[in-house]
Amino acid sequence: MVRFIFTALFIIVSAPILQAKEPISINRVSQGYKETEVYKTVRSYFSKGEAEQRRYIVRTQEEHSEGFYFIAELEGSVTTLPEGSRLQLEVITPYSAEPRSYSFILPKHDKHTWEIHAGLTGSDWPDADARPLAWKLTLVDQAGTELSEFKSFLWE
């Protein structure tokens, strides 16, 4: 009987600890214009599409891979993101003083990667030589609660 009580007490006390997930955060963001070839692999030429890679890629226009990318390096794997999470990008471009907003849905994924490549592709970023003036990336859960934020020093 004593063993049963201790086992039950252990389960009750440790249940919240076992269910808690590691907090996820954006550690670093790199950025730059990427040509189509950057996301092509030998396998993708044979499969007539982009091969599965060890990076999570989202784009404003899926049919275009060339564009300006924000590469968010996470503390924790993409697999630990809650169901229905989104990556929100706000950017002030050389084309407009008003910030543009983009939202990338991050469906539950089994890739064990720590990078999200968010691309402004096609007509959303037509000039390879242009650079953003200021930007902010925010990871939010399905309810809109902020999980992490990373912004350029000019965003304020």
Side-chain angles (χ1 to χ4, degrees):
M1 183 66 172
V2 173
R3 180 186 286 172
F4 173 75
I5 293 173
F6 280 119
T7 303
L9 185 59
F10 173 77
I11 291 172
I12 291 169
V13 171
S14 64
I17 296 168
L18 295 174
Q19 291 176 352
K21 288 190 172 185
E22 291 288 320
I24 193 157
S25 63
I26 303 171
N27 279 345
R28 188 170 82 108
V29 175
S30 55
Q31 56 184 326
Y33 194 85
K34 306 289 184 194
E35 304 274 333
T36 300
E37 292 76 30
V38 170
Y39 292 104
K40 288 284 188 182
T41 63
V42 172
R43 187 178 357 175
S44 66
Y45 285 105
F46 295 110
S47 66
K48 296 187 179 184
E50 203 166 75
E52 288 292 310
Q53 299 174 354
R54 297 301 260 165
R55 49 190 167 196
Y56 193 88
I57 304 168
V58 290
R59 299 183 176 105
T60 55
Q61 297 178 21
E62 278 300 318
E63 65 276 7
H64 299 284
S65 57
E66 186 168 330
F68 197 87
Y69 284 82
F70 294 85
I71 301 167
E73 295 179 19
L74 306 177
E75 174 71 33
S77 175
V78 172
T79 59
T80 63
L81 285 169
E83 188 77 34
S85 295
R86 296 183 320 271
L87 180 67
Q88 294 178 331
L89 169 63
E90 296 175 75
V91 61
I92 298 175
T93 68
Y95 317 117
S96 171
E98 292 298 315
R100 293 183 182 179
S101 295
Y102 302 92
S103 184
F104 303 95
I105 296 171
L106 304 171
K108 200 65 179 161
H109 213 279
D110 61 356
K111 286 184 186 177
H112 293 287
T113 181
W114 291 264
E115 288 184 352
I116 300 173
H117 294 232
L120 302 178
T121 57
S123 60
D124 291 322
W125 202 273
D127 186 1
D129 295 324
R131 298 291 176 259
L133 303 175
W135 53 269
K136 177 172 81 167
L137 280 174
T138 310
L139 272 173
V140 295
D141 65 13
Q142 189 173 24
T145 305
E146 183 179 303
L147 302 173
S148 182
E149 176 186 273
F150 202 98
K151 58 189 171 187
S152 67
F153 71 95
L154 289 177
W155 185 254
E156 299 298 324

